[in-house]
């Protein structure tokens, strides 16, 4: 396998320049280092107006050949996945590239035996165990499209996602360990399956020995199915633009968006960025703490690292179990060299006594990564000083489910870092800042702030929203002409370094998870006593942001703690516990414009206790409501 790594800052600058001057030649060269069954005919075809983006058309490949088969000769005995269980007393599992290849091929035949064909959608609702990796790669092996639903989501969230993309099969585990708790995943699935007529088969992996109720004809155990399956499975021939997976992300309306990624561009984008951002050496051990249910896990636990022949760690548990030293215990035990986590985890660990970090030997570490939300100055320094001991570059990586791969980030040890800055775009990425009039802010040496857009396609951009191309166009390509709009705001300093300032739309990032406020509002409004609600984000010390809900009750209903609890429960049940509002304020009305739109700007300021300057409220339909809300606002 050829190495894609840039080694110096001068290399980076040269590559960047080339990638802008002649993007096709640049990506042609990168793409040619992968294993293709047939070379592509056309590197790029694009039109952001339609919108349409196609990379490497006519090229034939299978992503699992690139993640598995091509390593067998040289890296067959190298550890591909180290699995670290929730319980530190349970044994870790080491899976070599050859073993993973065998397991994936074997399970791919289970899929086939159960009627799954190229193009069929398969939903995965699984804990962080190697079988999740095996199942997703097995789908890719036969050209089935995986749709992974984070195993913290509720039954109705699973059902919605299964139905939206018409999944034929669901793969799950009976139970999952999470810290000191055990969660029954199969029960959640059974409830979801009452509403999903399209699912024909459910494959259940036994993570625990508890008896598991199975539905005759529909539910099958993982191991039983393996017994019946052949071991060898040739990779399906896929077109570069065939669908690889769907992954749902929150939108500004209540409906999640099924982002579609395709085989060729996604492979090229995730692998190129993985190798350049992290700069792994041959025997390094890389650990990304994300859950595979999110894009970070897809791109940087599985596809990017495996296509690079790296050793990637998968952790089943949580940072606080059995105590707050668990992350550092694992780094020490597995001699982790590259550690990639989220600011919310850093902040929660920084609140604990430093002894949890100091009790472990972290000298194996070479580089640290951050992802998912802006990293504040304090967390950045704590991470750099106490975990990296000032010796490890911190790469603050900005990207999105939609971008598939890291877009703006330092390259570890190469790009000069600056606290809270994601710094510079990767080669091939052309960011621009847009002003309030929708004009591009010129790229001068003046520090500027604006809305972040991208003006040229990159290989791993999501191609559409499953079943709703019109929405894809509206959300990403209609704010600015001929540009992809990220939904984020950003600041650019005099030397061109970017700092992401946060979302500028109705998405709030809570503990690194994207939440659409509309989805929480819809769930709250389901309560029989609720007339209307408005949900906004406010800054939270550990979670980054939390949700604040303003709720109007029906006339004769009295606010109560009981009611607050019921409302939180309804959100938990509908969307999952992560979407639960932190604070609920019962109000008699919401500030509205004359056209009936809720003035969220005001509600955000009140929730954030930033009430000195609420702006002009005189144009509101009901300006008096602002004083009432202010008087009863919930501030700690
Ligand atoms: C935010 C996660 C600041 C941003 C990979 C983006 C960040 C959203 C960073 C996408 C970062 C992600 N600094 N903000 N380094 N990384 N974000 O789709 O608002 O779960 O739009 O993808 O997270 O979240 P998603």
């Amino acid at each position: 396998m050829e190495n894609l790594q840039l080694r110096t800052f001068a290399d980076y600058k040269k590559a960047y320049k080339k990638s802008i001057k002649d993007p096709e030649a640049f990506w042609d060269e990168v793409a040619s280092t992968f294993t293709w069954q047939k070379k592509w005919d056309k590197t790029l075809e694009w039109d952001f107006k339609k919108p349409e983006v196609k990379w490497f058309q006519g090229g034939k490949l299978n992503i699992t050949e690139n993640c598995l088969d091509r390593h067998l000769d040289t890296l067959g005995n190298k550890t591909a996945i180290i699995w670290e269980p929730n319980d530190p007393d349970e044994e870790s599992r080491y899976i070599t590239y050859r073993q993973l290849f065998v397991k994936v091929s074997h399970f791919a035949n289970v899929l086939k035996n159960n009627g799954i064909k190229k193009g069929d959608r398969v939903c995965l609702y699984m804990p962080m165990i190697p079988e999740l990796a095996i199942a997703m790669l097995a789908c890719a092996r036969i050209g089935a499209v995986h749709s992974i639903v984070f195993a913290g989501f509720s039954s109705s969230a699973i059902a919605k996602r299964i139905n939206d993309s018409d999944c034929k099969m669901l793969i799950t585990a009976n139970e999952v360990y999470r810290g000191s708790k055990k969660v029954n995943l199969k029960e959640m699935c059974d409830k979801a399956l009452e509403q999903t007529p399209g699912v024909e088969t459910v494959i259940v992996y036994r993570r625990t020995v508890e008896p598991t109720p199975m539905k005759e004809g529909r539910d099958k155990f993982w191991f039983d199915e393996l017994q019946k399956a052949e071991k060898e499975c040739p990779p399906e021939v896929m077109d570069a633009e065939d669908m690889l997976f769907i992954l749902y992300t929150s939108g500004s309306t209540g409906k999640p968006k099924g982002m579609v990624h395709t085989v060729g561009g996604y492979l090229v984008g995730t692998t190129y960025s993985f190798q350049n951002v992290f700069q792994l050496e041959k025997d390094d051990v890389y650990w990304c703490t994300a859950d595979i249910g999110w894009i970070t896990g897809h791109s940087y636990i599985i596809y990017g690292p495996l296509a690079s022949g790296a050793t990637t760690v998968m952790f089943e548990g949580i940072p606080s179990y059995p105590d707050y030293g668990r992350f550092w215990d694992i780094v020490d035990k597995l001699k982790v060299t590259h550690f990639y986590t989220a600011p919310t985890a850093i902040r929660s660990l920084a609140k604990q006594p430093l002894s949890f970090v100091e009790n472990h030997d972290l000298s194996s570490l070479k580089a640290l990564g951050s992802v998912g939300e802006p990293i504040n100055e304090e967390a950045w320094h704590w991470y750099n000083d106490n975990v990296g001991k000032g010796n490890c570059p911190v790469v603050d990586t900005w990207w999105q489910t939609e971008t598939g791969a890291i877009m703006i980030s330092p390259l570890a040890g190469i790009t000069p870092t600056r606290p809270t800055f994601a710094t510079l775009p990767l080669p091939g990425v052309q960011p621009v800042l847009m002003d309030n009039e929708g004009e591009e802010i010129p790229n001068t040496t003046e520090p500027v702030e604006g809305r972040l857009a991208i003006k040229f396609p990159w290989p791993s951009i999501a191609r559409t929203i499953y079943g709703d191309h019109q929405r894809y166009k509206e959300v990403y390509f209609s704010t600015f002409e001929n540009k992809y709009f990220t939904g984020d705001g950003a600041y650019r300093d005099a030397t061109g370094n970017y700092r992401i300032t946060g979302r500028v739309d109705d998405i709030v990032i809570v503990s690194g998870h994207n939440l659409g406020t509309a989805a929480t509002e819809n769930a709250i409004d389901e309560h029989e006593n609720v007339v209307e609600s408005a949900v906004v984000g406010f800054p939270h010390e550990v979670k980054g942001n939390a949700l604040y809900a303003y709720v109007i009750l029906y006339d004769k209903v009295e606010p109560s703690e009981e009611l607050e609890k019921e409302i939180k429960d309804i959100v938990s049940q509908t969307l999952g516990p992560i979407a639960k509002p932190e604070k609920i304020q019962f109000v008699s009305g919401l500030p509205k414009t004359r056209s009936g739109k809720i003035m969220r700007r005001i509600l955000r300021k009140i929730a954030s206790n930033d009430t000195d300057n609420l702006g002009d409220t005189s144009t509101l339909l009901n300006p008096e409501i602002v004083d009432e809300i202010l008087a009863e606002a919930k501030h700690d």
Side-chain angles (χ1 to χ4, degrees), residues 249 295-296 370-374 396-402 486 488 500 503 509 512 514:
T249 187
I295 191 70
T296 307
S370 171
V371 60
E373 58 184 312
D396 177 4
T397 64
W398 174 82
W399 59 295
Q400 311 179 295
T401 303
E402 295 85 340
T486 65
D488 283 328
I500 311 302
R503 301 290 311 184
I509 303 196
N514 287 11

CSV table of all heavy atoms in Angstrom, one decimal, residues 249 295-296 370-374 396-402 486 488 500 503 509 512 514, ligand 1:
chain,number,residue,atom,x,y,z
A,249,THR,N,-28.8,12.1,10.6
A,249,THR,CA,-28.4,13.2,11.5
A,249,THR,C,-29.6,14.1,11.7
A,249,THR,O,-30.5,14.1,10.9
A,249,THR,CB,-27.1,13.9,10.9
A,249,THR,OG1,-26.7,14.9,11.8
A,249,THR,CG2,-27.5,14.6,9.6
A,295,ILE,N,-20.9,9.4,12.9
A,295,ILE,CA,-20.0,9.5,11.7
A,295,ILE,C,-18.6,9.3,12.1
A,295,ILE,O,-17.8,8.7,11.4
A,295,ILE,CB,-20.2,10.7,10.9
A,295,ILE,CG1,-19.5,10.6,9.5
A,295,ILE,CG2,-19.7,12.0,11.6
A,295,ILE,CD1,-20.0,9.7,8.5
A,296,THR,N,-18.2,9.8,13.3
A,296,THR,CA,-16.8,9.7,13.7
A,296,THR,C,-16.4,8.3,13.8
A,296,THR,O,-15.3,7.9,13.4
A,296,THR,CB,-16.6,10.5,15.0
A,296,THR,OG1,-17.1,11.8,14.9
A,296,THR,CG2,-15.1,10.6,15.4
A,370,SER,N,-9.4,16.1,18.8
A,370,SER,CA,-10.7,16.5,19.4
A,370,SER,C,-11.7,16.7,18.2
A,370,SER,O,-11.3,17.1,17.1
A,370,SER,CB,-10.5,17.9,20.0
A,370,SER,OG,-11.7,18.5,20.4
A,371,VAL,N,-13.0,16.4,18.5
A,371,VAL,CA,-14.0,16.4,17.5
A,371,VAL,C,-15.4,16.6,18.0
A,371,VAL,O,-15.6,16.1,19.1
A,371,VAL,CB,-14.0,15.1,16.6
A,371,VAL,CG1,-14.3,13.9,17.4
A,371,VAL,CG2,-15.0,15.3,15.4
A,372,GLY,N,-16.2,17.2,17.2
A,372,GLY,CA,-17.7,17.2,17.6
A,372,GLY,C,-18.3,18.5,18.0
A,372,GLY,O,-19.5,18.7,17.8
A,373,GLU,N,-17.5,19.4,18.5
A,373,GLU,CA,-17.9,20.7,18.9
A,373,GLU,C,-16.7,21.5,19.2
A,373,GLU,O,-15.6,21.0,19.3
A,373,GLU,CB,-18.8,20.6,20.2
A,373,GLU,CG,-18.0,19.9,21.3
A,373,GLU,CD,-18.8,19.7,22.6
A,373,GLU,OE1,-19.5,20.6,23.0
A,373,GLU,OE2,-18.6,18.6,23.1
A,374,PRO,N,-16.9,22.9,19.3
A,374,PRO,CA,-15.8,23.7,19.5
A,374,PRO,C,-15.2,23.3,20.9
A,374,PRO,O,-15.9,23.0,21.8
A,374,PRO,CB,-16.4,25.1,19.6
A,374,PRO,CG,-17.7,25.0,18.9
A,374,PRO,CD,-18.2,23.6,19.1
A,396,ASP,N,-7.5,19.6,16.4
A,396,ASP,CA,-8.9,19.9,16.6
A,396,ASP,C,-9.5,19.8,15.2
A,396,ASP,O,-9.3,20.6,14.3
A,396,ASP,CB,-9.0,21.4,17.1
A,396,ASP,CG,-10.4,21.8,17.3
A,396,ASP,OD1,-11.3,21.1,17.0
A,396,ASP,OD2,-10.6,23.0,17.6
A,397,THR,N,-10.3,18.7,15.0
A,397,THR,CA,-10.7,18.4,13.7
A,397,THR,C,-12.2,18.8,13.4
A,397,THR,O,-13.1,18.3,14.1
A,397,THR,CB,-10.6,16.8,13.5
A,397,THR,OG1,-11.6,16.2,14.4
A,397,THR,CG2,-9.2,16.3,13.7
A,398,TRP,N,-12.4,19.7,12.5
A,398,TRP,CA,-13.7,20.1,12.2
A,398,TRP,C,-14.2,19.4,10.9
A,398,TRP,O,-13.6,19.3,9.9
A,398,TRP,CB,-13.8,21.6,11.9
A,398,TRP,CG,-15.2,22.0,11.4
A,398,TRP,CD1,-16.3,22.2,12.2
A,398,TRP,CD2,-15.7,22.0,10.1
A,398,TRP,NE1,-17.4,22.4,11.4
A,398,TRP,CE2,-17.1,22.3,10.1
A,398,TRP,CE3,-15.1,21.9,8.8
A,398,TRP,CZ2,-17.8,22.4,9.0
A,398,TRP,CZ3,-15.9,22.0,7.7
A,398,TRP,CH2,-17.2,22.3,7.8
A,399,TRP,N,-15.4,18.8,11.1
A,399,TRP,CA,-16.1,18.2,10.0
A,399,TRP,C,-17.5,17.8,10.4
A,399,TRP,O,-18.0,18.2,11.5
A,399,TRP,CB,-15.3,17.0,9.5
A,399,TRP,CG,-15.1,15.9,10.5
A,399,TRP,CD1,-14.3,16.0,11.6
A,399,TRP,CD2,-15.5,14.5,10.4
A,399,TRP,NE1,-14.3,14.8,12.3
A,399,TRP,CE2,-15.0,13.9,11.6
A,399,TRP,CE3,-16.3,13.8,9.5
A,399,TRP,CZ2,-15.3,12.5,11.8
A,399,TRP,CZ3,-16.6,12.5,9.8
A,399,TRP,CH2,-16.1,11.8,10.9
A,400,GLN,N,-18.2,17.1,9.5
A,400,GLN,CA,-19.7,16.8,9.8
A,400,GLN,C,-20.0,15.4,9.2
A,400,GLN,O,-19.4,14.9,8.3
A,400,GLN,CB,-20.5,17.9,9.0
A,400,GLN,CG,-20.1,19.3,9.3
A,400,GLN,CD,-21.0,20.3,8.5
A,400,GLN,OE1,-21.0,20.3,7.3
A,400,GLN,NE2,-21.7,21.1,9.2
A,401,THR,N,-21.2,14.9,9.6
A,401,THR,CA,-21.7,13.7,9.0
A,401,THR,C,-21.8,13.9,7.5
A,401,THR,O,-21.5,13.0,6.8
A,401,THR,CB,-23.2,13.5,9.6
A,401,THR,OG1,-23.1,13.4,11.0
A,401,THR,CG2,-23.8,12.2,9.0
A,402,GLU,N,-22.2,15.1,7.1
A,402,GLU,CA,-22.4,15.4,5.7
A,402,GLU,C,-21.0,15.4,4.9
A,402,GLU,O,-21.0,15.1,3.7
A,402,GLU,CB,-23.0,16.7,5.5
A,402,GLU,CG,-24.5,16.8,6.0
A,402,GLU,CD,-24.5,17.1,7.5
A,402,GLU,OE1,-23.5,16.9,8.3
A,402,GLU,OE2,-25.6,17.5,8.0
A,486,THR,N,-22.5,24.9,5.6
A,486,THR,CA,-22.3,24.0,6.7
A,486,THR,C,-23.2,24.1,7.8
A,486,THR,O,-23.3,23.2,8.6
A,486,THR,CB,-20.8,24.2,7.2
A,486,THR,OG1,-20.8,25.5,7.8
A,486,THR,CG2,-19.8,24.1,6.1
A,488,ASP,N,-22.6,26.2,10.2
A,488,ASP,CA,-21.7,26.7,11.2
A,488,ASP,C,-21.2,28.1,11.0
A,488,ASP,O,-21.1,28.5,9.8
A,488,ASP,CB,-20.4,25.8,11.3
A,488,ASP,CG,-20.7,24.5,12.0
A,488,ASP,OD1,-21.5,24.4,12.9
A,488,ASP,OD2,-20.0,23.5,11.6
A,500,ILE,N,-14.0,27.5,14.6
A,500,ILE,CA,-15.4,27.3,14.4
A,500,ILE,C,-16.1,27.8,15.6
A,500,ILE,O,-15.8,27.5,16.8
A,500,ILE,CB,-15.8,25.8,14.3
A,500,ILE,CG1,-14.8,25.1,13.2
A,500,ILE,CG2,-17.2,25.6,14.0
A,500,ILE,CD1,-14.9,25.7,11.9
A,503,ARG,N,-23.0,26.4,15.8
A,503,ARG,CA,-24.1,26.3,14.8
A,503,ARG,C,-24.7,27.7,14.7
A,503,ARG,O,-24.9,28.4,15.7
A,503,ARG,CB,-25.1,25.3,15.3
A,503,ARG,CG,-24.6,23.9,15.5
A,503,ARG,CD,-24.3,23.2,14.2
A,503,ARG,NE,-25.2,23.3,13.2
A,503,ARG,CZ,-25.1,22.6,12.0
A,503,ARG,NH1,-24.1,21.8,11.8
A,503,ARG,NH2,-26.0,22.7,11.1
A,509,ILE,N,-25.6,21.4,19.7
A,509,ILE,CA,-24.8,20.2,20.0
A,509,ILE,C,-24.6,20.0,21.5
A,509,ILE,O,-24.1,20.8,22.2
A,509,ILE,CB,-23.4,20.4,19.3
A,509,ILE,CG1,-23.7,20.7,17.8
A,509,ILE,CG2,-22.5,19.2,19.5
A,509,ILE,CD1,-22.6,20.5,16.9
A,512,GLY,N,-21.7,16.8,22.4
A,512,GLY,CA,-21.1,16.3,21.1
A,512,GLY,C,-22.2,15.7,20.2
A,512,GLY,O,-21.9,15.3,19.0
A,514,ASN,N,-25.5,16.0,17.8
A,514,ASN,CA,-26.4,17.0,17.2
A,514,ASN,C,-27.8,16.8,17.5
A,514,ASN,O,-28.3,15.7,17.2
A,514,ASN,CB,-26.3,16.9,15.6
A,514,ASN,CG,-24.9,17.3,15.1
A,514,ASN,OD1,-24.1,17.6,15.9
A,514,ASN,ND2,-24.8,17.5,13.8
B,1,LIG,C1,-19.6,20.6,15.1
B,1,LIG,C2,-19.2,15.2,13.8
B,1,LIG,C3,-16.1,22.9,16.3
B,1,LIG,C4,-20.0,21.6,14.0
B,1,LIG,C5,-17.9,15.0,13.1
B,1,LIG,C6,-20.5,20.6,12.9
B,1,LIG,C7,-17.2,21.1,15.5
B,1,LIG,C8,-21.2,19.5,13.7
B,1,LIG,C9,-16.0,20.4,15.4
B,1,LIG,C10,-21.2,18.2,12.9
B,1,LIG,C11,-14.8,21.0,15.8
B,1,LIG,C12,-17.7,19.1,14.7
B,1,LIG,N1,-14.9,22.3,16.3
B,1,LIG,N2,-17.3,22.3,16.0
B,1,LIG,N3,-13.7,20.4,15.8
B,1,LIG,N4,-16.3,19.2,14.9
B,1,LIG,N5,-18.2,20.3,15.1
B,1,LIG,O1,-22.5,15.7,12.0
B,1,LIG,O2,-21.1,22.4,14.5
B,1,LIG,O3,-22.1,14.9,14.4
B,1,LIG,O4,-21.4,21.2,12.0
B,1,LIG,O5,-20.2,15.3,12.9
B,1,LIG,O6,-20.4,19.4,14.9
B,1,LIG,O7,-21.6,17.2,13.8
B,1,LIG,P1,-21.7,15.7,13.3
